[in-house]
Amino acid sequence: MTLKRFLLYTLTFIVAITATAQDRYAMMQKSDSILNLFEDRFIVLDSLIFGNNNHRNVTSDIFIQASQKYGDTLLADSLYNAALEKSVAAQAKYIKSPTGLQITGQTYWRLDDQFGLTEEDDAVSRYNAKFQAELRWNFFNSGLYNTKGKIREVQLQADIDKIAYQKETRGTEYARQREFYRSMQDSAMCRILSHRVQNLSLLSDAYMFLLNYENISSDDIMLILSEKAEAERKLVGLTVRNLEASDLSHPDAFIVRLDTASFLKYIFENQADFKIALKRQELFEQRAKNAKYWEDVDISPFIRLSQYTRSFLANSANVDAGIYFKFPINNEARKQRAAFRAQGEAIGAEQFLRKRQIADEVGYVATEVERLNNSIIGEYNRSLELKKYLDMRTYAYENRFGEYNRLARMKEYNAYLLCLERLLEFQYSRDQQIASLAKFLAGENVSDFCSIENLSAARK
């Protein structure tokens, strides 16, 4: 081997050793940086989970908050009620307005002479023209007859319209309530999910570092990347952004139980459909009462003035007084009353079926609420167990000898955060179920029929 070649090999070896040392130094620097990031993150998580040991006695009733009426709804209600009252007053005034008085008249000329039909009447009986005017008063066609019954019919129809309006606007309020629950859920979820996404980002960076130095399989990194992508997708889908929880020590967990017996009793007595049905039955009964035989009877006293013009005698006039009467020979009023009352009975039968349907639906909701309550209790207990486990592990890590698996420790924190997320999801599903019962109410609060227990306060 020549000296030149020996020097070349030696230089190549030195360069290789130097490059390896530089790579190792760079790797150690990055490794230390990642380890420091993990340690800093653990300090933050420990302060959030274990830093606040004071239990909060939170009894906030989200159902009351969600049922608050908005200003535009209150204004619309006020305007509608005022317009409806004005309409009823105008119709009542119209019903009372008929006087029953009627003026009729007629005038005509005799053309007997022009057509050669002259009869041998005496001079008094013959006349050239005749004028008659009559004033008649029909009591049954005046505002003095059955006005109370007719006005009552108008009022009942107005009551039906008002209840139907309240039911329609309740649909808008229900949509707002659902949005309120969604906003609260997204806000609480964002505060927890943001921390888990940060943990997953740190884990994915660590796994990529290990993958570069062939210390981990690609399957492990794919699992972490998939979990991170799913968490980020979930975070992007929320309606709020950039919120982080400042306390992860005691998750608020509520148990809500519905008093179905009281709720159904109240619905059957006050729910819009049933109130409308009762008013419609009253309306048909009132129409049956208003359907009287006397509606078609005409007994009208009158005064009649008659004026005659004659060719051979002086003009004459006379005044007559009498009573005009008309009595229909039928039983239409009785048949009409029977028809109205049959319609009322049909409404009653329809409501019986409606009650069964509502009772079934409320029963399904109550069953689902109880199932979700059990899931909430289970998930809440699991969060306490995980917190206790984290406390034990934190103590063990702080009193360790040598290094430990920081990746595994971060996953333990994520398990706790994921448990809190599931707890929120169960509560949101439960609250949505209970909120769906608001459609049976008309401004009342669902919480009036619920008992609410804060598990966090109960554990104090």
Side-chain angles (χ1 to χ4, degrees):
M1 179 183 297
T2 63
L3 179 61
K4 183 178 181 180
R5 181 173 296 179
F6 174 76
L7 292 175
L8 179 62
Y9 286 158
T10 303
L11 180 62
T12 302
F13 178 73
I14 294 172
V15 169
I17 292 177
T18 302
T20 301
Q22 290 177 343
D23 289 344
R24 185 176 295 278
Y25 179 73
M27 180 189 71
M28 293 299 296
Q29 275 193 321
K30 189 169 184 179
S31 176
D32 290 340
S33 174
I34 292 176
L35 291 177
N36 291 333
L37 290 175
F38 270 86
E39 292 299 331
D40 292 342
R41 187 64 188 153
F42 294 151
I43 292 173
V44 171
L45 292 171
D46 286 340
S47 66
L48 295 175
I49 298 173
F50 305 109
N52 184 4
N53 293 318
N54 296 321
H55 288 266
R56 296 168 297 165
N57 187 11
V58 180
T59 57
S60 175
D61 189 347
I62 61 173
F63 304 110
I64 291 178
Q65 296 177 33
S67 63
Q68 292 176 346
K69 281 183 174 290
Y70 291 78
D72 56 346
T73 303
L74 293 173
L75 177 61
D77 290 349
S78 177
L79 293 175
Y80 179 82
N81 292 334
L84 193 61
E85 291 176 3
K86 186 176 180 180
S87 174
V88 171
Q91 292 183 72
K93 187 176 180 180
Y94 171 76
I95 291 172
K96 295 177 180 179
S97 64
T99 62
L101 293 172
Q102 183 181 23
I103 295 178
T104 61
Q106 59 181 346
T107 181
Y108 51 89
W109 290 261
R110 298 190 69 172
L111 303 177
D112 295 352
D113 293 339
Q114 286 79 353
F115 289 96
L117 300 175
T118 304
E119 298 180 356
E120 297 297 328
D121 294 335
D122 59 81
V124 177
S125 300
R126 296 184 60 185
Y127 59 87
N128 296 328
K130 178 181 179 181
F131 169 77
Q132 284 185 332
E134 178 181 293
L135 175 63
R136 179 183 299 183
W137 180 57
N138 184 354
F139 169 76
F140 296 108
N141 196 32
S142 72
L144 300 176
Y145 173 71
N146 197 30
T147 54
K148 290 184 179 180
K150 294 176 182 178
I151 292 174
R152 176 60 178 163
E153 190 174 325
V154 171
Q155 290 173 336
L156 287 170
Q157 184 60 57
D159 290 342
I160 292 172
D161 294 340
K162 183 176 181 179
I163 297 171
Y165 167 80
Q166 292 173 343
K167 178 185 177 183
E168 182 178 350
T169 56
R170 186 60 177 167
T172 303
E173 293 175 10
Y174 174 49
R176 282 173 167 170
Q177 286 185 17
R178 292 178 66 89
E179 183 59 29
F180 176 85
Y181 293 131
R182 167 59 68 182
S183 177
M184 289 192 62
Q185 158 73 8
D186 287 356
S187 178
M189 181 64 73
C190 182
R191 285 176 165 85
I192 298 174
L193 189 57
S194 296
H195 286 290
R196 189 161 69 92
V197 168
Q198 290 184 51
N199 295 349
L200 289 170
S201 297
L202 189 54
L203 277 173
S204 63
D205 290 343
Y207 273 98
M208 290 299 296
F209 171 79
L210 295 175
L211 183 65
N212 289 334
Y213 292 97
E214 299 181 354
N215 289 327
I216 194 174
S217 69
S218 59
D219 293 340
D220 294 332
I221 186 62
M222 286 304 298
L223 290 175
I224 291 297
L225 291 177
S226 296
E227 184 179 355
K228 178 174 177 287
E230 179 63 21
E232 289 174 338
R233 180 200 61 77
K234 189 175 178 181
L235 185 62
V236 170
L238 302 179
T239 56
V240 293
R241 299 286 188 278
N242 304 322
L243 295 177
E244 288 187 2
S246 58
D247 181 10
L248 296 173
S249 59
H250 303 102
D252 290 326
F254 295 93
I255 298 300
V256 182
R257 290 188 169 85
L258 175 67
D259 185 351
T260 55
S262 298
F263 186 73
L264 288 174
K265 181 177 183 296
Y266 183 86
I267 288 177
F268 296 156
E269 294 175 355
N270 300 278
Q271 197 262 344
D273 289 337
F274 294 116
K275 290 172 73 173
I276 290 175
L278 288 174
K279 290 294 182 181
R280 288 180 62 200
Q281 287 179 306
E282 289 185 52
L283 178 61
F284 282 121
E285 180 59 28
Q286 187 61 53
R287 286 176 178 174
K289 292 179 180 179
N290 291 344
K292 300 178 180 180
Y293 173 78
W294 298 102
E295 292 288 329
D296 297 324
V297 170
D298 188 356
I299 302 178
S300 305
F302 66 87
I303 297 177
R304 182 185 302 134
L305 171 65
S306 301
Q307 177 77 35
Y308 299 89
T309 62
R310 294 181 173 84
S311 299
F312 305 104
L313 295 176
N315 295 340
S316 64
N318 62 284
V319 177
D320 301 319
I323 296 178
Y324 171 83
F325 57 87
K326 181 186 72 172
F327 293 93
I329 302 176
N330 60 50
N331 59 354
E332 290 182 4
R334 182 172 62 84
K335 292 180 179 179
Q336 193 174 27
R337 287 194 297 271
F340 284 137
R341 288 187 171 122
Q343 286 179 286
E345 292 174 0
I347 293 173
E350 177 184 339
Q351 294 314 300
F352 176 78
L353 178 60
R354 177 62 177 155
K355 285 183 179 180
R356 289 188 57 184
Q357 292 174 337
I358 290 180
D360 289 343
E361 184 172 350
V362 172
Y364 297 147
V365 170
T367 300
E368 183 64 13
V369 166
E370 192 60 28
R371 185 188 69 80
L372 289 168
N373 279 336
N374 292 333
S375 298
I376 290 168
I377 293 173
E379 206 63 34
Y380 178 74
N381 291 335
R382 183 169 180 267
S383 72
L384 297 181
E385 293 173 358
L386 285 173
K387 182 183 176 182
K388 183 178 179 181
Y389 172 79
L390 287 176
D391 191 19
M392 295 170 57
R393 296 291 290 171
T394 299
Y395 178 80
Y397 292 136
E398 290 176 351
N399 295 276
R400 72 188 186 279
F401 294 99
E403 288 298 328
Y404 67 99
N405 190 340
R406 291 171 177 80
L407 301 180
R409 184 180 180 184
M410 185 63 78
K411 291 179 181 179
E412 292 168 355
Y413 284 108
N414 277 355
Y416 177 74
L417 296 176
L418 192 58
C419 179
L420 299 186
E421 291 175 28
R422 282 195 295 265
L423 182 61
L424 284 176
E425 290 170 351
F426 285 138
Q427 291 191 108
Y428 175 68
S429 298
R430 189 269 319 283
D431 294 342
Q432 287 289 78
Q433 288 288 334
I434 295 177
S436 68
L437 299 176
K439 64 186 176 183
F440 297 121
L441 304 174
E444 297 81 4
N445 193 348
V446 180
S447 66
D448 294 339
F449 308 94
C450 296
S451 60
I452 303 175
E453 177 188 355
N454 188 340
L455 293 178
S456 303
R459 294 280 182 175
K460 185 175 180 179

